[in-house]
Amino acid sequence: MVFLTTPENSMDFRITGLSPEPFLPFFFLSDAELAALGMRRYVVDQYPGFPDRITLEDAPLGETVLLVNHVCQPAMTPYRACHAIFVREGATQVYDAINQVPESMRRRLLSLRAYCADGMMLDADVVEGTAIEAVIARLFGNADVSYIHVHNAKRGCYAARIDRADSLA
């Protein structure tokens, strides 16, 4: 993890993974039961390659992950959205950190989408994960931006949510 330390990127932000609760019932289903629900189980065979949306880590080789469809933007706006994501079977520790970017995001090309409180998109940008702080600061420079969603730019999968750290105190 890398801490935000440069003055030009001094906007405090909080990145969070997804709660494991909605996914727990699926961890114990058979492959056939998962398939009937439109889900798939995979054994991780490359690293990195299977980014877990709960812990925000790439799953280790040999572990199992579920590929599920997730509503990442539930707002009743034209920007309502869902996409495929991976969740590690058995993952329960939600990533929640201030001014830290997980390595699983650092190593990817990312799409950041800034939304106002009612779920309308106000701005967006694409950035290498190694330079994400500057884009977060620029997007949050607009006082109307309430939160940011991060997606993996190549496949479009939802990665995480970013909030202003000061707004969560």
Side-chain angles (χ1 to χ4, degrees):
M1 313 226 183
V2 176
F3 287 89
L4 178 70
T5 56
T6 58
E8 66 272 13
N9 295 330
S10 61
M11 173 71 61
D12 287 333
F13 61 90
R14 182 179 195 175
I15 298 179
T16 53
L18 296 174
S19 168
E21 297 300 320
F23 308 106
L24 294 176
F26 306 125
F27 294 164
F28 304 101
L29 297 180
S30 69
D31 289 350
E33 290 169 316
L34 289 171
L37 296 171
M39 302 176 191
R40 302 264 170 96
R41 176 177 285 118
Y42 289 91
V43 175
V44 175
D45 61 358
Q46 72 180 51
Y47 182 90
F50 294 82
D52 174 46
R53 297 319 193 273
I54 297 168
T55 63
L56 301 188
E57 299 173 335
D58 280 285
L61 293 170
E63 285 201 10
T64 56
V65 294
L66 300 181
L67 182 63
V68 303
N69 189 272
H70 171 70
V71 176
C72 57
Q73 178 57 309
M76 291 306 293
T77 71
Y79 293 105
R80 181 178 169 82
C82 62
H83 205 286
I85 61 167
F86 287 113
V87 291
R88 265 169 70 188
E89 286 194 287
T92 58
Q93 186 63 44
V94 177
Y95 184 91
D96 186 348
I98 295 175
N99 295 340
Q100 296 180 43
V101 177
E103 288 303 314
S104 65
M105 289 171 52
R106 286 271 183 220
R107 63 174 57 106
R108 290 178 169 84
L109 180 65
L110 304 171
S111 169
L112 275 63
R113 302 166 188 179
Y115 297 91
C116 63
D118 71 357
M120 289 297 292
M121 190 183 303
L122 299 177
D123 201 353
D125 207 343
V126 175
V127 64
E128 289 292 341
T130 54
I132 189 174
E133 288 92 347
V135 176
I136 293 169
R138 183 182 66 72
L139 294 173
F140 278 146
N142 178 344
D144 293 332
V145 171
S146 179
Y147 59 95
I148 300 168
H149 279 182
V150 181
H151 292 255
N152 292 343
K154 289 186 179 182
R155 295 208 177 203
C157 303
Y158 173 83
R161 179 177 167 129
I162 305 175
D163 290 284
R164 297 170 192 272
D166 58 329
S167 70
L168 300 171

